[in-house]
Amino acid sequence: MAPHDLLIDNRPVHLAVRDHGGQGTPVLLLHGLGGTLQHWDAVAPLLTGAHQVVSMDLRGHGLSGDGAWEWEAVLDDIEAVVDHLGLDTPLVVGHSLGGMVAVRWALRHPGGPGIVNLDGLRSAETSPRHYAGIGQEELTALLAEMKAVFDAQAEAMARPLPEAHAVMYPQRALRTTDEGVYLRPDAALAGQIRYDAYFQDSVAAVADIQCPALFVLATRDLPGMPGRVGELMQALRAGIRRDLLAVTAHRPHLQVLELAAGHNMVAEQPEQIAQAVLGLQRGIAGQATSDRPGLPY
């Protein structure tokens, strides 16, 4: 069947949903910060042969309604989608911010079929102790450089987009007002998420997950990063790998896969992402250890 869009509007925060069809264990796909359900359009058809596949716009994103970013409320949003579509207990797949939501979902549903977290364990602005393989003086300088970049982005989000920039984004990711066209989420919500402690680090929560979980880590930089921010991202990835492998080492239901892709892995490697999801469901994916980094997708 062709994907079918619907709006769940019988609640305080209305939710935009895309039902991609398919049969089997339901899979719910969650995008990252600033994304929309369109993020999954290349991956979803690769899953419908084995799963009923649904994607959604998170609150404050896409065509969903606005609401404060409270993690339990976001989980309630997901519950509303699950109940509305009769999905029972889905396998939840989340990228970046969506991956952090997936971890919280796993904690709420310890007996569920599992989650897949796609490079969604720490924001770039995390505690200095979470970076690895970099000296303190250099780390301090790079963190200041990155903060300046993010501060400038936050200021830009509070202003209408220039017309030449607006056409670069999908219409679904924009909000049009009398003052002009703005990105979603708005600057206030993005700022709230940016400084949220769990958004900055969700690795510690992984230890409490009881259902199967696959964590897919990026191994490459995003292209076009300004200044020396790329060096900081290498240290961030090293710290995530170090701390995640320590948590998962003696928990066989928690698997790690290192993928030859950047943070934008859903767009870069949709086939490999689909294989990872299907592999978790078959119970054969991600047999990584500290000296065997993952499946060779």
Side-chain angles (χ1 to χ4, degrees), residues 22-292:
Q23 295 183 341
T25 301
V27 170
L28 181 60
L29 306 173
L30 307 177
H31 60 78
L33 181 62
T36 75
L37 57 75
Q38 291 175 309
H39 191 65
W40 299 102
D41 282 355
V43 173
L46 305 177
L47 301 175
T48 53
H51 296 281
Q52 179 186 0
V53 181
V54 174
S55 55
M56 64 179 287
D57 288 334
L58 296 172
R59 60 170 53 203
H61 294 71
L63 301 184
S64 285
D66 293 319
W69 192 267
E70 298 169 352
W71 296 99
E72 291 303 309
V74 174
L75 294 181
D76 291 342
D77 292 345
I78 298 174
E79 300 276 12
V81 172
V82 169
D83 291 345
H84 187 87
L85 294 178
L87 301 182
D88 193 17
T89 306
L91 174 70
V92 175
V93 181
H95 173 241
S96 194
L97 174 64
M100 298 174 186
V101 176
V103 170
R104 304 283 290 231
W105 177 265
L107 298 177
R108 183 183 277 197
H109 294 275
I115 65 163
V116 178
N117 178 302
L118 304 173
D119 212 34
L121 289 169
R122 281 180 183 149
S123 72
E125 289 185 294
T126 188
S127 169
R129 64 188 172 87
H130 292 148
Y131 299 88
I134 187 171
Q136 184 59 49
E137 184 176 345
E138 183 179 14
L139 176 59
T140 300
L142 290 175
L143 286 173
E145 183 176 329
M146 183 180 64
K147 183 178 185 303
V149 170
F150 285 175
D151 286 348
Q153 291 177 345
E155 291 176 6
M157 289 183 69
R159 300 191 298 268
L161 283 170
E163 185 175 348
H165 292 178
V167 298
M168 299 169 61
Y169 293 92
Q171 189 63 37
R172 193 180 194 99
L174 302 174
R175 175 174 57 92
T176 302
T177 72
D178 293 340
E179 290 76 31
V181 177
Y182 294 82
L183 279 173
R184 300 203 76 211
D186 61 30
L189 185 61
Q192 181 188 357
I193 295 171
R194 176 185 177 185
Y195 292 110
D196 182 273
Y198 180 79
F199 178 68
Q200 293 183 340
D201 177 38
S202 60
V203 174
V206 170
D208 294 324
I209 293 177
Q210 298 179 33
C211 65
L214 173 63
F215 299 90
V216 183
L217 306 182
T219 59
R220 298 176 180 172
D221 289 341
L222 283 168
M225 287 188 293
R228 297 191 300 147
V229 173
E231 299 173 36
L232 187 60
M233 294 304 97
Q234 294 173 28
L236 176 67
R237 291 196 301 272
I240 290 172
R241 185 182 191 277
R242 174 197 66 197
D243 298 340
L244 181 63
L245 290 179
V247 171
T248 61
H250 303 294
R251 295 176 172 88
H253 63 294
L254 306 180
Q255 305 167 5
V256 180
L257 167 67
E258 295 187 61
L259 190 65
H263 183 66
N264 196 25
M265 57 177 61
V266 176
E268 294 175 18
Q269 303 277 9
E271 295 85 3
Q272 286 79 358
I273 296 301
Q275 286 181 39
V277 174
L278 295 170
L280 176 69
Q281 190 63 20
R282 292 192 300 263
I284 62 172
Q287 300 173 23
T289 67
S290 58
D291 57 3
R292 184 178 177 184

